[in-house]
């Protein structure tokens, strides 16, 4: 059975950092996942230039600190929402400044070099995944828990769409988005998922938000997503990619 941690938090920076580290500790600590010298891709959610809809920077700061404590080499990577230019989103959100502060490499997956990955028993026989993700020793997924117009919920599994280029995303939407998300999670399986559930917006980008004040963590992304659904009173069986 998968172990999932849920840690309540206040909404100030220090509380969020402390709660994130506690959530990691409760599932066995970062040292279970990251070893000295490991290249660690950290995949947040920077969907667009809307601070309420992206992963809180203090969650990212905590994860980077924990990776470095283990001797790992953290690397930030993301591709913003389909309608946005990732470079511009990074600039508006001050992501390059965050990377500089944390002394980590920042990769824009929108233009990253990719490699074909075969996905057996799937809707897509192969997917184009960034080489940086494939060559990493560890993938840490840090989504923002939100509602979504097409999938109802976006958490850990759907957050991985941010590694794909625009052409791959277009294919996902043209065929079957939920089944495509499942294929992506087969081809690009996160080793750890830490969900920023401090507040939940009513859409993936713009919209009102409700305060949940929690950090959720676990190694099994599907189990994490099921727990997140329960936290916002949604039956996970009605979310096709989770079911």
């Amino acid at each position: 059975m998968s172990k999932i941690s849920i840690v309540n938090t206040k909404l100030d920076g220090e509380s969020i950092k402390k709660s994130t580290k506690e959530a990691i500790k409760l599932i066995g600590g970062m040292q279970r996942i990251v070893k000295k010298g490991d290249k660690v891709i950290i995949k947040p959610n920077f969907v667009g230039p809307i601070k309420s809809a992206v992963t809180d920077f203090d969650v990212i700061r905590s994860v980077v600190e924990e990776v470095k404590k283990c001797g790992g080499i953290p690397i930030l990577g993301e591709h913003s929402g389909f309608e946005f230019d990732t470079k511009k989103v990074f600039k508006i959100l001050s992501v390059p400044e965050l990377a500089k502060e944390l002394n980590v490499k920042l990769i824009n997956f929108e233009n990253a070099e990719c490699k074909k990955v075969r996905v057996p028993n799937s809707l897509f026989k192969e997917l184009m995944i960034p080489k940086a993700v494939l060559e990493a020793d560890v993938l840490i997924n840090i989504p923002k828990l939100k509602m979504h117009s097409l999938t109802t919920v976006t958490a850990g599994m759907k957050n991985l769409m941010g590694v794909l280029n625009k052409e791959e995303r277009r294919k996902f939407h043209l065929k079957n988005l939920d089944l495509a998300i499942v294929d992506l999670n087969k081809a690009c399986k996160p080793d750890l998922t830490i969900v920023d559930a401090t507040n939940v917006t009513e859409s993936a980008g713009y919209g009102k938000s409700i305060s949940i004040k929690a950090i959720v963590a676990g190694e099994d992304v599907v189990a994490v997503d099921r727990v997140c659904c329960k936290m916002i009173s949604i039956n996970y069986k009605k979310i096709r990619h989770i079911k």
Side-chain angles (χ1 to χ4, degrees):
M1 183 179 291
S2 300
K3 182 182 288 187
I4 309 297
S5 64
I6 307 172
V7 179
N8 292 331
T9 184
K10 295 179 182 178
L11 298 182
D12 63 275
E14 285 306 311
S15 295
I16 291 172
K17 288 176 70 175
K18 182 178 179 181
S19 296
T20 301
K21 291 182 179 183
E22 181 65 15
I24 296 168
K25 180 181 177 182
L26 287 171
I27 60 169
M30 189 66 79
Q31 68 276 6
R32 275 174 46 85
I33 297 159
V34 177
K35 306 304 178 187
K36 186 175 180 180
D38 280 352
K39 289 184 179 179
V40 182
I41 291 288
I42 297 174
K43 168 46 181 94
N45 183 315
F46 296 144
V47 65
I50 312 108
K51 285 193 175 182
S52 62
V54 303
T55 304
D56 190 283
F57 280 15
D58 284 308
V59 176
I60 298 169
R61 288 183 176 103
S62 296
V63 173
V64 168
E65 287 175 13
E66 292 301 299
V67 168
K68 286 186 174 182
K69 281 182 185 177
C70 297
I73 304 165
I75 302 164
L76 277 180
E78 170 67 317
H79 177 185
S80 298
F82 200 85
E83 66 273 40
F84 298 109
D85 179 280
T86 302
K87 186 176 180 179
K88 291 180 179 178
V89 170
F90 282 0
K91 183 177 180 180
I92 293 169
L93 293 175
S94 299
V95 176
E97 287 82 356
L98 175 67
K100 184 176 180 180
E101 170 201 326
L102 298 174
N103 192 27
V104 298
K105 183 179 179 181
L106 174 63
I107 300 177
N108 180 345
F109 287 143
E110 186 171 346
N111 304 308
E113 184 181 357
C114 295
K115 183 179 178 181
K116 287 182 181 179
V117 175
R118 294 190 61 80
V119 189
N121 304 316
S122 61
L123 175 67
F124 288 88
K125 300 305 177 186
E126 57 186 28
L127 293 171
M128 296 296 291
I129 305 295
K131 286 185 68 177
V133 174
L134 298 174
E135 293 172 358
D137 299 293
V138 178
L139 173 60
I140 300 180
N141 189 17
I142 319 182
K144 178 80 170 178
L145 177 59
K146 294 178 285 188
M147 306 301 290
H148 193 275
S149 60
L150 298 178
T151 60
T152 305
V153 173
T154 173
M157 292 181 70
K158 189 175 182 304
N159 191 53
L160 292 180
M161 284 185 66
V163 306
L164 300 174
N165 60 37
K166 280 185 167 57
E167 182 57 33
E168 291 294 277
R169 292 193 194 189
R170 187 177 291 110
K171 293 176 185 176
F172 272 35
H173 286 277
L174 287 174
K175 287 194 174 182
N176 183 312
L177 182 57
D178 286 287
L179 289 180
I181 290 170
V182 174
D183 288 356
L184 175 58
N185 277 262
K186 292 177 182 177
C188 185
K189 187 176 180 180
D191 298 284
L192 174 63
T193 299
I194 302 166
V195 183
D196 172 4
T198 51
N199 62 69
V200 178
T201 57
E202 62 185 6
S203 69
Y206 301 96
K208 296 179 181 178
S209 62
I210 57 172
S211 183
I212 301 295
K213 299 179 181 178
I215 304 294
V216 184
E219 294 177 45
D220 183 336
V221 66
V222 181
V224 169
D225 281 10
R226 286 177 60 175
V227 168
C228 286
C229 285
K230 188 172 184 179
M231 290 172 65
I232 53 177
S233 302
I234 290 176
N235 183 350
Y236 81 89
K237 292 181 180 179
K238 294 182 178 180
I239 312 302
R240 291 190 65 208
H241 63 269
I242 300 175
K243 181 176 183 294

